[in-house]
Amino acid sequence: MTTHLPTADDQDPDSSARTSRLREALLAAAFTADGLLDLLGAPAYAALARSETVPALRATRGDGPLETLVRLFLLQRPVPEARVRAALPVADCLADGWLVRDGDRLRATVDVRPYGGPEGQDWWIVSDLGCAVGGAGGIRGAGEGDRAQLVLGVGGASTTLAGITARRPVAKALDLGTGSGIQALHAAQHATRVTATDLNPRALRIAALTLALSGARPADLREGSLFEPVGEETFDLIVSNPPFVISPVRPEGARLTYRDGGMGGDDLCRTLVQQAAAHLNDGGYCQLLANWEHVAGEEWQDRLRSWVPRGCDAWIVQREVQDITQYAELWLRDAGDHRTGEDAYAARYDAWLDEFEARKTKAVGFGWITLRKSGAQDPSLTVEEWPHPVEQPLGDAVLRHFDRQDYLRATDDAALLAGHFRLADEVVQEQVGLPGAEDPEHVVLRQNRGMRRATKVDTVGAGFAGVCDGSLPAGRILDAIAQLVGEDPVLLRDRTPSAIRMLIEQGFLEPVS
């Protein structure tokens, strides 16, 4: 069952002091991401992420402060008051509602999960009981009537979005659909002012707790759907992990606010993308996670290009595709519908497939969408599928991607051949062929950083990339290669710019000023 939430009033000096003392106690007990790993060990720590609590219970049989805090806030077990007093300022926690009495024991009212910031900060993400990834049992711990307003903690989607977000100093940032407040917490490190919105008022209260407990500046918290709470305001950065799940539309609206947008198909994500441009300052970025339909008779890439608003560059990456049966089963299990009985489960499964059939949806894609308000007449629209491993964080790689698009848009072939380039860091060359063959069948350039791309190149492309150290213009390098391979240098200059552009666009080569 959901519970009353603690308070952390930044306008009340007494409340702020109590929150500071609680934070100091968590640090003193090493209730941090590193401290948890040290206490539990990697297997038990990983088991928590699968909602398996037995290994963590075994690891916390001691009576030290850290064991006490893990049992209280992550395993959600009542703990004898005497043990809690050795770990926390109990009077403060009772006064602000972090703890309540349960006979002669104390129990937590919310899940508090240690989280490591990008520069080694010790933060804590607050969520509803049983709703943090790595908590004690997932959302099945909540009553059916309370699920609609549940606030989840840190999950894979949250950390993915935090990792791909472009981190640069900005004046104003918007976290749309803040949930537990993790994106607002990240944004507070590089934005002068952070606005956070959510349709769920409970989420706004929990986001305020996350920020206060982590020692971050408070955000401007506003209730409402999509861009309604901000009117006509504009921002330098918009981030959103929206309720993107494509689920059957219900007359009563969204069933689970944290995941179901209440619109048909992928209309919520499309609407968010299309409205974003009106709320971005020039040069501003909007970054979000999304699901999109693969519709019979349509190319999914063309469908997504049609979402991009005028005056914006876009980089859209599809990371995964599921057929409609896999997709329905995933989210039915997420909601616990597989435990409602065979007939009820079958009826809900049927409703999902009916919805997909009516919309001619064959599969669902998941990925990242980044918009940049460039005002360009010929915007750069990159829509690609990349299901392979990447190196997070990717925020700097996102900024470099759009810098490269600007360069390519402004550089004709003559200027390209006059330009100087260097091979990006940690690019290696692989030669593939039969053992003992005199020449390789093909040559592959592979990145070991960022998107970790790989691309085939011919002999000229491999030779060109290998020589690029910024000292010679591209044209002179090609002339030297033409002499080595016995090719007409004019013809080589004519046919090579497209290959150079590809290597620049994918980040293998970097222009040198």
Side-chain angles (χ1 to χ4, degrees):
M1 298 289 289
T2 52
T3 61
H4 294 294
L5 293 173
T7 58
D9 187 354
D10 58 281
Q11 301 299 316
D12 179 353
D14 291 338
S15 178
S16 293
R18 290 194 294 269
T19 304
S20 294
R21 289 194 290 269
L22 172 56
R23 181 167 59 251
E24 290 165 3
L26 299 180
L27 287 171
F31 188 59
T32 63
D34 289 341
L36 279 185
L37 185 58
D38 289 343
L39 172 68
L40 301 179
Y45 193 78
L48 269 182
R50 303 190 299 270
S51 293
E52 296 291 347
T53 60
V54 171
L57 285 167
R58 292 173 61 85
T60 56
R61 288 178 291 192
D63 58 1
L66 181 54
E67 289 92 338
T68 296
L69 296 180
V70 172
R71 290 207 164 215
L72 269 177
F73 290 121
L74 286 185
L75 302 176
Q76 284 119 43
R77 300 300 174 96
V79 177
E81 184 169 338
R83 280 187 58 182
V84 180
R85 287 189 178 279
L88 293 174
V90 168
D92 290 344
C93 293
L94 290 171
D96 284 340
W98 296 94
L99 302 175
V100 293
R101 296 191 185 279
D102 186 359
D104 62 348
R105 297 176 174 237
L106 298 175
R107 59 179 175 83
T109 59
V110 288
D111 192 305
V112 178
R113 179 178 174 83
Y115 177 81
E119 297 178 0
Q121 303 99 322
D122 289 314
W123 292 339
W124 295 271
I125 310 300
V126 181
S127 63
D128 272 314
L129 292 172
C131 292
V133 174
I139 70 168
R140 66 176 177 267
E144 179 70 28
D146 301 308
R147 289 187 178 189
Q149 301 302 311
L150 284 174
V151 179
L152 271 61
V154 181
S158 303
T159 54
T160 293
L161 179 58
I164 68 172
T165 299
R167 302 295 174 191
R168 55 181 190 143
V170 296
K172 293 176 64 180
L174 170 64
D175 176 13
L176 191 153
T178 189
S180 64
I182 180 173
Q183 308 305 329
L185 179 56
H186 276 279
Q189 312 308 304
H190 63 100
T192 303
R193 177 183 173 190
V194 177
T195 300
T197 69
D198 207 289
L199 183 64
N200 182 0
R202 187 175 184 85
L204 296 176
R205 291 191 58 193
I206 283 181
L209 295 173
T210 290
L211 292 168
L213 190 58
S214 299
R217 296 189 310 274
D220 178 7
L221 302 171
R222 305 185 195 180
E223 182 180 344
S225 178
L226 295 176
F227 290 104
E228 291 174 4
V230 300
E232 298 181 358
E233 282 186 66
T234 57
F235 302 86
D236 306 297
L237 173 67
I238 299 171
V239 293
S240 184
N241 180 12
F244 53 66
V245 176
I246 299 171
S247 55
V249 177
R250 303 169 186 273
E252 67 275 17
R255 179 164 173 244
L256 297 173
T257 305
Y258 72 86
R259 69 165 212 193
D260 300 320
M263 296 186 184
D266 51 21
D267 284 355
L268 183 135
C269 292
R270 175 183 56 79
T271 300
L272 198 163
V273 171
Q274 291 180 337
Q275 293 180 356
H279 297 277
L280 283 175
N281 293 323
D282 291 343
Y285 285 82
C286 173
Q287 297 185 262
L288 65 143
L289 305 182
N291 278 184
W292 43 78
E293 296 169 292
H294 285 223
V295 178
E298 297 182 29
E299 294 291 336
W300 68 269
Q301 296 94 332
D302 293 339
R303 200 159 179 278
L304 287 175
R305 287 188 188 98
S306 73
W307 290 9
V308 178
R310 183 174 299 177
C312 285
D313 298 328
W315 184 18
I316 301 173
V317 182
Q318 179 167 275
R319 295 287 289 157
E320 183 181 358
V321 181
Q322 289 188 329
D323 67 51
I324 56 175
T325 59
Q326 290 175 304
Y327 190 81
E329 291 161 13
L330 169 67
W331 295 110
L332 285 167
R333 288 183 174 276
D334 171 80
D337 288 334
H338 59 300
R339 292 187 294 270
T340 59
E342 186 174 342
D343 291 343
Y345 175 76
R348 287 177 177 169
Y349 199 153
D350 235 6
W352 282 68
L353 297 185
D354 284 345
E355 181 88 359
F356 286 133
E357 183 177 343
R359 299 182 64 87
K360 300 181 180 179
T361 303
K362 301 301 182 184
V364 177
F366 170 85
W368 321 323
I369 298 178
T370 298
L371 305 177
R372 181 186 60 164
K373 191 170 185 179
S374 64
Q377 295 299 311
D378 55 336
S380 164
L381 302 182
T382 302
V383 183
E384 61 177 323
E385 185 165 18
W386 190 254
H388 310 294
V390 299
E391 181 192 45
Q392 286 275 36
L394 278 169
D396 287 345
V398 169
L399 293 171
R400 290 195 297 271
H401 168 87
F402 287 97
D403 286 343
R404 292 194 298 269
Q405 301 307 312
D406 287 343
Y407 174 84
L408 291 171
R409 185 160 45 203
T411 307
D412 61 19
D413 285 354
L416 190 76
L417 293 175
H420 294 239
F421 305 96
R422 62 176 293 272
L423 191 66
D425 293 335
E426 297 196 39
V427 173
V428 298
Q429 176 178 304
E430 300 174 356
Q431 298 189 147
V432 181
L434 293 173
E438 184 175 344
D439 296 313
E441 292 180 20
H442 56 263
V443 177
V444 173
L445 298 182
R446 186 178 302 278
Q447 301 168 350
N448 286 320
R449 303 295 301 272
M451 292 292 287
R452 292 178 172 166
R453 297 186 187 276
T455 189
K456 287 184 183 180
V457 291
D458 59 14
T459 303
V460 171
F464 180 86
V467 174
C468 282
D469 61 2
S471 62
L472 293 174
R476 286 185 59 187
I477 295 174
L478 290 178
D479 292 343
I481 292 175
Q483 186 174 1
L484 286 173
V485 300
E487 188 167 340
D488 185 332
V490 175
L491 294 178
L492 190 61
R493 279 174 172 254
D494 285 344
R495 71 176 178 84
T496 306
S498 61
I500 297 175
R501 287 182 181 277
M502 182 274 292
L503 292 174
I504 295 169
E505 183 173 12
Q506 295 193 0
F508 290 95
L509 295 178
E510 298 174 349
V512 176
S513 300

